[in-house]
Amino acid sequence: MAAIDLVAGSKASEDFRKQVLGYGLTTAQILYRMPDHPALLQSYLWQSYDVFPKFPALNDFLDFWQRSLDGPLFSVTVAHSKLIKPAEIRAVDGVFRLH
């Protein structure tokens, strides 16, 4: 049974459904120039579930920002579970010794 079939009609949260479908938590630190004081930078933190490596949700948000907001973007730093994640630990079922 495909993952899509398992989550399509379930009562699982939207975030869980996205994770099953391959989305991962994405965090972007956005630095932008203050409209009234262009020499100053302001920080904005954006977080949502998105797809690595194209980040369609983040790109949609950045397009909205450039179209609708006055503060011009300075830089965007992205962290995603496929880019950075903690070391994975596997349980060992047994110990084998070779003499």
Side-chain angles (χ1 to χ4, degrees):
M1 194 174 241
I4 295 171
D5 296 335
L6 292 174
V7 296
S10 72
K11 294 181 181 180
S13 71
E14 182 66 24
D15 291 341
F16 178 74
R17 281 183 256 170
K18 284 184 176 181
Q19 288 177 31
V20 170
L21 296 173
Y23 286 69
L25 188 61
T26 304
T27 304
Q29 180 187 22
I30 301 168
L31 292 178
Y32 64 97
R33 296 196 181 275
M34 299 284 292
D36 296 339
H37 305 283
L40 297 177
L41 292 175
Q42 182 74 26
S43 178
Y44 180 82
L45 195 65
W46 177 90
Q47 192 171 54
S48 184
Y49 284 92
D50 210 350
V51 181
F52 175 85
K54 295 195 179 200
F55 302 112
L58 176 58
N59 284 317
D60 287 347
F61 177 74
L62 294 175
D63 289 342
F64 162 78
W65 184 297
Q66 291 178 334
R67 274 192 328 273
S68 305
L69 302 179
D70 291 333
L73 296 173
F74 178 77
S75 70
V76 178
T77 304
V78 179
H80 185 273
S81 61
K82 297 230 182 198
L83 296 172
I84 301 172
K85 65 180 176 180
E88 295 181 17
I89 299 174
R90 294 184 331 181
V92 177
D93 290 339
V95 177
F96 301 96
R97 294 186 182 184
L98 297 174
H99 294 288

